Amino acid sequence: MRAVVTGGAGFIGSALLRHLRASGADSVVAFDNLNSGHRHNLPAADPAVSLTLGDIRDYDAVCAAFAGADFVFHLAAIPSVPRSINDPVPSHDVNINGSFNVFRAAQHCGVRRVVYAASSSAYGDTPTLPKVESMQPNPKSPYAAQKLMGEHYASVFASCFGLETVSLRFFNVFGPRQDPGSPYSGVLSLFMKALIEGQPPTIFGDGEQSRDFTYVEDVAALVYKAALAPSVSGMVFNAGNGDRYTLNQTWDFLKQIAGSDLAASYGPSRPGDVRDSQADTTLARRYLNHAPQFTFEEGLRRTFQWYRESLA
Ligand code: UD2
């Protein structure tokens, strides 16, 4: 397998490229503009992993990077619901126009399949839990709408242009290397940093909103399966654990792991925030043989250990 991972220097992308190499991929190119990714996320001592600096908005650069690739894993994006509300133009441009370039270039270069990182945010506040792929999407933020548009392009490139594509709706992925350096960072990375620095985190709203936090190595394994599974082109799958925890429960859990009694502060709810999120994993189990290996607690322990070593 010769693979390109867009966003390969990011938190999830760099876990994926390690998984691809461990699963026997011959070469993996991380295509990344280092906007939110980091060179230091890439494995230092693996000559089969390389970084191509480039932006998915640059069609020619994307095309050049995809030449000779069998598989493309499209993870590059400007994430974050609040960022897409505060500054919608860049996220629209990267997440929609950039994704269009990726599909177009993959088709042009004869790539066998593109696996696209979609988002659980597409569901919005649909009242039923868990969220099933057959539900009508209901995006509540520009980010959610952009990620949903990427899914539509993925399926249209499959039906109109014969490019094999699979979309995976990632559910709040967490784990080592998630960058806590921005107010837009994922909540668990901010919780970890807060505990290590002894500074209270802010919980937006009452903390009773819930998420299906999914450990990054389980997501990487699922993405790889989506590349190889037969008869799934054009389909959309949840990539979640199937559980949900409130932020209050999660903060308490983490404090136990860290042996801390730090109290969180509370602030106003965030616009565009989804209240509850939980994946139905039936479809992924059936078609992709999905079987998460990490409980939430185990994922939290491993992640906290990583932050303790790397932020200390
Ligand atoms: C959304 C998607 C997720 C992924 C992500 C990418 C949902 C349900 N999930 O994550 O799958 O695509 O976007 O960015 O839409 N919070 C605090 N304090 C903080 C930071 C966050 O309380 O300092 C809260 C936030 O209000 C939210 C929860 O924590 O209720 C999770 O926030 P997040 O930014 O980590 O991820 P979220 O759910 O927007």
Side-chain angles (χ1 to χ4, degrees):
M1 175 189 280
R2 289 160 301 170
V4 179
V5 180
T6 71
F11 143 61
I12 307 175
S14 63
L16 174 63
L17 58 84
R18 282 179 175 78
H19 186 87
L20 295 174
R21 285 288 293 141
S23 306
D26 303 298
S27 70
V28 186
V29 173
F31 183 83
D32 203 300
N33 65 0
L34 301 182
N35 181 34
S36 54
H38 301 286
R39 226 177 260 275
H40 61 70
N41 282 343
L42 299 172
D46 185 346
V49 172
S50 60
L51 172 66
T52 298
L53 278 175
D55 193 302
I56 57 170
R57 287 168 294 187
D58 178 349
Y59 178 75
D60 293 338
V62 176
C63 246
F66 288 1
D70 309 305
F71 292 91
V72 166
F73 298 89
H74 176 34
L75 276 64
I78 295 188
S80 171
V81 167
R83 192 200 302 247
S84 76
I85 295 173
N86 297 340
D87 191 15
V89 174
S91 66
H92 175 94
D93 201 19
V94 168
N95 297 345
I96 294 185
N97 297 330
S99 294
F100 177 69
N101 275 343
V102 166
F103 293 123
R104 197 160 69 97
Q107 185 216 348
H108 177 81
C109 293
V111 166
R112 275 172 56 188
R113 186 176 288 181
V114 178
V115 181
Y116 167 65
S119 169
S120 64
S121 58
Y123 290 109
D125 279 330
T126 44
T128 314
L129 290 171
K131 317 268 193 186
V132 189
E133 292 88 340
S134 55
M135 285 174 173
Q136 174 80 29
N138 186 23
K140 283 183 74 180
S141 64
Y143 171 75
Q146 293 152 12
K147 280 286 169 178
L148 180 61
M149 179 59 88
E151 286 180 21
H152 290 319
Y153 263 128
S155 70
V156 162
F157 267 82
S159 60
C160 294
F161 300 112
L163 174 70
E164 289 200 12
T165 65
V166 181
S167 294
L168 297 177
R169 290 182 176 162
F170 290 3
F171 278 69
N172 288 75
V173 185
F174 75 101
R177 298 189 188 81
Q178 188 168 24
D179 185 351
S182 147
Y184 297 128
S185 298
V187 69
L188 287 189
S189 70
L190 297 172
F191 278 4
M192 304 271 170
K193 181 167 180 262
L195 277 169
I196 285 161
E197 294 178 349
Q199 298 291 333
T202 303
I203 292 180
F204 299 129
D206 61 7
E208 288 302 300
Q209 67 269 49
S210 60
R211 292 292 181 272
D212 185 347
F213 291 111
T214 306
Y215 191 58
V216 67
E217 288 189 32
D218 278 330
V219 170
L222 184 59
V223 171
Y224 180 60
K225 287 176 179 169
L228 300 180
S231 312
V232 292
S233 182
M235 290 178 71
V236 176
F237 295 94
N238 288 337
N241 223 7
D243 292 326
R244 73 189 170 96
Y245 294 88
T246 68
L247 288 190
N248 290 330
Q249 284 172 328
T250 303
W251 175 243
D252 285 345
F253 230 157
L254 256 181
K255 284 197 300 184
Q256 278 173 32
I257 289 171
S260 162
D261 59 3
L262 189 66
S265 342
Y266 286 79
S269 326
R270 237 173 42 176
D273 222 26
V274 166
R275 183 69 182 174
D276 296 304
S277 179
Q278 181 180 14
D280 182 303
T281 58
T282 313
L283 204 65
R285 278 180 200 281
R286 186 181 308 147
Y287 284 88
L288 305 177
N289 197 19
H290 176 51
Q293 301 296 304
F294 296 90
T295 62
F296 184 43
E297 184 176 356
E298 178 63 16
L300 281 181
R301 284 188 192 285
R302 285 173 179 244
T303 307
F304 184 68
Q305 177 69 22
W306 184 86
Y307 281 96
R308 191 153 43 193
E309 284 162 11
S310 63
L311 289 184

